[in-house]
Amino acid sequence: MAKKLMKGCEAVAEAAIQAGCRYFFGYPITPQNDIPEYMSARLPKVGGCFLQAESEIAAINMVYGASGAGARVMTSSSSPGISLKMEGISYLAGAELPCVIVNMMRGGPGLGSIQASQGDYFQATKGGGHGDYHMIVLAPSSVQEAIDLMQDAFDLADIYRTPVMMLADGIIGQMMEPVEFKETTKKRELPEKTWAATGWKEGCGRDRAVINSLYIENEELQEMNDRLQARYATIQAEETRCELYNTEGAEIILCAYGTIARICKSAIALAAKEGVKVGLVRPITIWPFPTDAMRNAICQDSVTSAITVEVNAGQMFEDVRLAVDGKKKVDFLGRPGSFVPTAEEILDKIKQIRRA
Amino acid sequence: MKHTTVLIGNFGSGKSELAINMALSSVKSGKKTVVVDIDLINPYFRISERKSLLEENGIKLIYPRYAMTGVEATSIPPEVYSVFIDDHETVIFDAGGDPTGAIALGQYRANFAELSRLDVFYIINGRRPLSSEVDQNIALLDKIQSSARLSITGLVNNTNLAHETGIFDLLFGYDLISHISEQTDIPIAMTMGTAPILDELSKYIENGTLDQRYIGKLYPIKRYMHRDWDTFTHLGI
């Protein structure tokens, strides 16, 4: 198919439709409005349903309903809107319902700003909603990668019966890049949704499907939690993804995800010109976090220290430090809010650390 | 004599890119030039982001109050009315994308009607989503035209993939726009692109494979608005 010039938001929406998503429920917020805008134009043409809900809370509960009925469904929002959805996300996790949630992060906390940020890493990977649950969290670093990960997002949700979040920042959402929609060559085997509430009648040969996250009896709640934890362990073992860039024999390792990782690559090229070998570990799944790959890259003998680069006050920084477990020095470059570091600033930090 | 051009079209079709190029070439030819940013619906990617470039070149810029401050609800200043009667020789209106973005133009209907030289150009980038088919474009063009309360006088082929643009993108746009022109009876005003791409297109024109009616004027542009990856990291959204 010919390439198109697309914004990340438009691309994510089209990729979702091509991945079979037919239901979208959402509420407007900048910088992700182009997703519902696109969905509202396209979904009715493919026999789907777009609905602008009265609030984010309503939207996420519509996702719960559609998913419970077995549909491929998604919602999207930006930071403050995702906070509103958090209760619903916890319920989706508890009821073991697959769905895709896109967060085009903006500056925070509170209403923050409409510029790009990475302030929602904790929220996405450490819960956000209540209870012991996780979402699979995918972090694209280009518009093309956002497209490519969308099919995976829906498949992973169905395979593991879990909400999957695509965590991108406003730059991915708003930046226009030439992109391609490739035919998916290897489709994953998807389990049948025997649990879905698709209509029951006497003598239909199966039990009633009950979509629920309420377990009054301690033993039953324990059973559900054990089931979730076992599933999370499988996800950690099977679905952890990251990109290793120039890491072998590097002196310094940068750790970054999303668009910031892309800026790090420019910094790595600048450092190479000055004869300094710098590598990058870029988590593609930020939950499950690529702990082993991160540790192996940073704990090589050649590495003197690692720098985590984020647009926040140091959130993934904590996971990097846990991975390294004190074996190497891990530094941080970043600011909370919306100041995106430039390649030159990252290079300056590299130089500063080498001097020290 | 005052020459006013209104640029309308879908999001990301290249309205602001064309507006900057037109404004710069106008001042270069010694004409007093004003650009009116009348986009009330998108907080990002407005021509006013290139305010200093325009002003350094002696181009006056009128833009919505609170534009570029991160505030999403902007308002049009009354000053816009002055461009219909003052001594600016070149006036360029750069509208917001889609039918909603074009609404802001509607209030000046009576003022536009009094102008003796008015072009209303509809820009098409056939490589943008929901813009690659004839029917999609005509449906959108009709809606934009009616919400702007203006009749489109010319179509502009700006089919491109930013830095990855090749001649086949522009030729795809040629084919698309020729059908749109046939069905709407709107002539094609220009085909725009970077100089190397237009040079390639000229070869097709010289060997007679293309119909001049569907090309219009060849309008070479430089890219000021589009942000590739590198400019994004320096300028933000």
Side-chain angles (χ1 to χ4, degrees), chain A residues 211-288:
Chain A
I211 308 296
N212 173 46
S213 69
L214 176 66
Y215 296 88
I216 300 279
E217 299 295 334
N218 279 349
E219 291 72 17
E220 285 183 11
L221 182 61
Q222 183 67 50
E223 202 181 296
M224 182 265 266
N225 269 291
D226 287 348
R227 193 165 59 239
L228 288 185
Q229 293 305 322
R231 198 173 295 160
Y232 296 150
T234 311
I235 294 171
Q236 281 175 308
E238 304 288 334
E239 307 295 349
T240 306
R241 295 186 209 180
C242 79
E243 181 194 358
L244 298 174
Y245 180 79
N246 210 33
T247 51
E248 225 177 291
E251 180 188 331
I252 285 173
I253 296 287
L254 301 176
C255 316
Y257 68 95
T259 46
I260 311 309
R262 214 159 145 191
I263 302 171
C264 285
K265 286 185 183 174
S266 305
I268 288 168
L270 294 176
K273 273 190 203 151
E274 303 193 8
V276 187
K277 187 159 188 213
V278 181
L280 167 74
V281 184
R282 175 176 76 90
I284 297 169
T285 53
I286 55 171
W287 199 92

Side-chain angles (χ1 to χ4, degrees), chain A residues 3 5 10 30-31 114 262, chain B residues 44 72 127-128 164 229:
Chain A
K3 281 194 172 186
L5 186 61
E10 298 161 342
T30 308
I114 60 167
R262 214 159 145 191
Chain B
Y44 312 110
E72 291 174 78
R127 292 297 190 216
R128 288 278 296 136
E164 285 187 22
W229 170 245

Side-chain angles (χ1 to χ4, degrees), chain A residues 66-104:
Chain A
S67 178
R72 276 212 154 172
V73 55
M74 75 175 271
T75 185
S76 67
S77 194
S78 180
S79 308
I82 294 291
S83 293
L84 283 165
K85 290 184 198 288
M86 273 302 161
E87 181 200 41
I89 292 173
S90 171
Y91 277 59
L92 281 153
E96 300 168 68
L97 291 175
C99 67
V100 173
I101 301 145
V102 178
N103 180 2
M104 292 292 176

Side-chain angles (χ1 to χ4, degrees), chain A residues 63-239:
Chain A
V63 169
Y64 184 103
S67 178
R72 276 212 154 172
V73 55
M74 75 175 271
T75 185
S76 67
S77 194
S78 180
S79 308
I82 294 291
S83 293
L84 283 165
K85 290 184 198 288
M86 273 302 161
E87 181 200 41
I89 292 173
S90 171
Y91 277 59
L92 281 153
E96 300 168 68
L97 291 175
C99 67
V100 173
I101 301 145
V102 178
N103 180 2
M104 292 292 176
M105 285 181 281
R106 61 186 246 178
L111 269 177
S113 79
I114 60 167
Q115 291 292 320
S117 170
Q118 292 187 318
D120 305 348
Y121 178 92
F122 281 157
Q123 186 192 49
T125 62
K126 315 282 179 197
H130 59 280
D132 266 323
Y133 79 92
H134 279 293
M135 288 182 278
I136 296 173
V137 186
L138 304 168
S141 77
S142 69
V143 177
Q144 184 66 56
E145 193 179 26
I147 291 173
D148 299 342
L149 287 175
M150 213 52 190
Q151 176 80 42
D152 291 331
F154 281 98
D155 288 352
L156 288 167
D158 281 350
I159 291 167
Y160 295 103
R161 288 185 60 183
T162 178
V164 172
M165 176 172 276
M166 179 172 281
L167 188 74
D169 57 58
I171 294 182
I172 295 261
Q174 292 298 320
M175 180 171 49
M176 251 190 241
E177 291 191 296
V179 292
E180 206 176 355
F181 288 85
K182 300 162 198 152
E183 290 285 328
T184 340
T185 42
K186 58 168 204 250
K187 284 221 165 91
R188 292 180 71 156
E189 195 101 358
L190 299 179
E192 223 182 301
K193 294 181 174 178
T194 49
W195 47 266
T198 52
W200 181 90
K201 57 176 183 255
E202 203 80 51
C204 74
R206 60 178 175 85
D207 292 339
R208 280 181 188 276
V210 178
I211 308 296
N212 173 46
S213 69
L214 176 66
Y215 296 88
I216 300 279
E217 299 295 334
N218 279 349
E219 291 72 17
E220 285 183 11
L221 182 61
Q222 183 67 50
E223 202 181 296
M224 182 265 266
N225 269 291
D226 287 348
R227 193 165 59 239
L228 288 185
Q229 293 305 322
R231 198 173 295 160
Y232 296 150
T234 311
I235 294 171
Q236 281 175 308
E238 304 288 334
E239 307 295 349

